Amino acid sequence: MLEVTPVMTIDGPSGAGKGTVSRIVAKRLGWHYLDSGALYRAVGVAASWANLDISDPAALVRCTFDTAVSFVENPSGARRVLVNGADTPTELRLETTGAVASAIAAFPEVRSALKERQRAFRQPPGLVADGRDMGTVIFTDAAYKVFLTASAEERAERRYNQLKDKGVSVTLDGLLREILARDARDAQRTVAPLRPAEDAVLIDTTGQNIEQVVERVLALVHP
Ligand code: DC
């Protein structure tokens, strides 16, 4: 019988803990990891470096195909994302970059230009993929599907702490507003809107620490 490389999809709104949980779960399972949001962010960053009009889907599609994105892990385990070979230590994680990524991600042309690139991450022995439409569009046949949520307040607080650790100055109130606006845009777009797959396990991470969530997710693979 043909062996299919297993995939776990972890979707949800920004700040729900997808990135941290996915990275730890991938490491524990010894599987690869796809941060699909970083691809949208990278295209957004490349488009702004090139001063492109981010309301022009044709220019964005060209930019998507022309932008090289590589994920590099330092010996310490810290992860770097290189956009056209350049390091993007803080720019990629800024909420303003998230907003640009969310705006360009609403174009079906951009989504389809990134489709095969995301699917190429499916390599043995397995893949953990985090994003908005991993379980609903990109890996519909995934063996394990998770949808992580948390209250908007808690998600804003987590983002606030992450950005503060990176030395970026933001206000909690401002972040909450930006996160709510981004959630609304991601959930209301017509193509691949943010929503749980019908066969996804919903996990509300409000008030839970990372380890508790990781254990619940890993239990899907090793009950
Ligand atoms: O997960 P993130 O915050 O890095 O994602 C940034 C934006 O990219 C998000 O607001 C919407 C878009 N995105 C998407 O549309 N589909 C994905 N699979 C991942 C991200």
Side-chain angles (χ1 to χ4, degrees):
M1 205 181 84
L2 191 68
E3 282 282 314
V4 179
T5 301
V7 176
M8 171 183 287
T9 59
I10 303 192
D11 289 308
S14 51
K18 298 185 305 286
T20 313
V21 169
S22 303
R23 269 195 298 278
I24 298 174
V25 168
K27 192 144 263 165
R28 299 240 185 117
L29 292 171
W31 290 6
H32 299 279
Y33 167 54
L34 165 63
D35 172 0
S36 63
L39 295 177
Y40 288 95
R41 285 172 184 263
V43 174
V45 165
S48 63
W49 286 346
N51 277 322
L52 295 185
D53 172 2
I54 64 156
S55 60
D56 174 359
L60 289 173
V61 166
R62 274 195 303 278
C63 178
T64 303
F65 286 121
D66 288 349
T67 304
V69 188
S70 42
F71 297 91
V72 189
E73 201 165 302
N74 290 347
S76 67
R79 204 177 55 111
R80 292 188 302 145
V81 182
L82 306 184
V83 180
N84 291 330
D87 204 351
T88 49
T90 47
E91 189 177 2
L92 206 77
R93 300 310 329 159
L94 294 177
E95 192 47 41
T96 43
T97 304
V100 171
S102 165
I104 66 171
F107 289 110
E109 298 90 334
V110 172
R111 305 200 72 80
S112 78
L114 281 175
K115 225 175 227 177
E116 289 316 314
R117 214 194 271 197
Q118 295 174 87
R119 290 186 176 142
F121 279 78
R122 184 177 201 160
Q123 298 284 342
L127 174 70
V128 177
D130 103 47
R132 303 292 186 289
D133 63 341
M134 297 295 98
T136 50
V137 176
I138 305 295
F139 301 108
T140 47
D141 65 337
Y144 314 99
K145 296 186 185 179
V146 174
F147 192 86
L148 287 189
T149 54
S151 71
E153 290 71 21
E154 185 154 329
R155 291 189 285 119
E157 206 168 315
R158 290 178 191 166
R159 264 289 142 83
Y160 177 76
N161 291 330
Q162 271 174 2
L163 291 172
K164 210 171 62 183
D165 287 348
K166 284 187 179 284
V168 180
S169 121
V170 280
T171 67
L172 191 55
D173 260 14
L175 260 185
L176 179 59
R177 270 197 306 277
E178 285 166 353
I179 279 183
L180 288 173
R182 188 142 71 90
D183 285 352
R185 188 166 37 213
D186 292 346
Q188 283 159 18
R189 67 179 175 225
T190 44
V191 179
L194 170 67
R195 63 171 174 83
E198 274 170 22
D199 46 350
V201 174
L202 263 64
I203 301 180
D204 186 340
T205 70
T206 310
Q208 299 211 353
N209 64 36
I210 297 291
E211 192 50 38
Q212 288 170 310
V213 182
V214 165
E215 288 304 324
R216 283 181 68 184
V217 171
L218 281 173
L220 300 175
V221 184
H222 301 298

